[in-house]
Amino acid sequence: MAAKYIIGSVAASFAFAYVCDVLMSDKKILGGTTPKTVSDKGWWKETDKKFQAWPRTAGPPVVMNPISRQNYIIKSTDK
């Protein structure tokens, strides 16, 4: 019997959190705007070009943000 109250309360809290998130971030009820650097895809491309153009002085070439590129260097543990 208590399980239905617990499950209902958890579901209601998730629904309330979702509504608050939408109101704050998407509807911007407290004001504010989305920065141009976030919404402009050309800015992302130019920034990525700049980061990739930095000179490397040692080590293998790597990308500046491996998580977004899914590009990992895997070192072997076998000796």
Side-chain angles (χ1 to χ4, degrees):
M1 173 137 169
K4 69 178 180 180
Y5 292 114
I6 293 171
I7 292 171
S9 299
V10 169
S13 65
F14 277 111
F16 180 74
Y18 175 77
V19 168
C20 288
D21 180 56
V22 168
L23 288 175
M24 297 293 176
S25 60
D26 295 340
K27 303 295 182 191
K28 300 201 183 301
I29 62 170
L30 297 178
T33 58
T34 303
K36 183 180 178 191
T37 56
V38 172
S39 61
D40 185 13
K41 299 297 181 195
W43 184 88
W44 284 107
K45 289 179 185 175
E46 291 300 319
T47 303
D48 191 45
K49 275 196 241 177
K50 181 183 121 182
F51 281 151
Q52 297 307 319
W54 286 357
R56 306 283 187 253
T57 56
V62 296
V63 295
M64 290 299 288
N65 190 356
I67 293 173
S68 68
R69 299 256 187 135
Q70 300 297 315
N71 202 11
Y72 301 99
I73 297 173
I74 300 173
K75 296 183 179 178
S76 175
T77 56
D78 298 336
K79 292 184 180 181

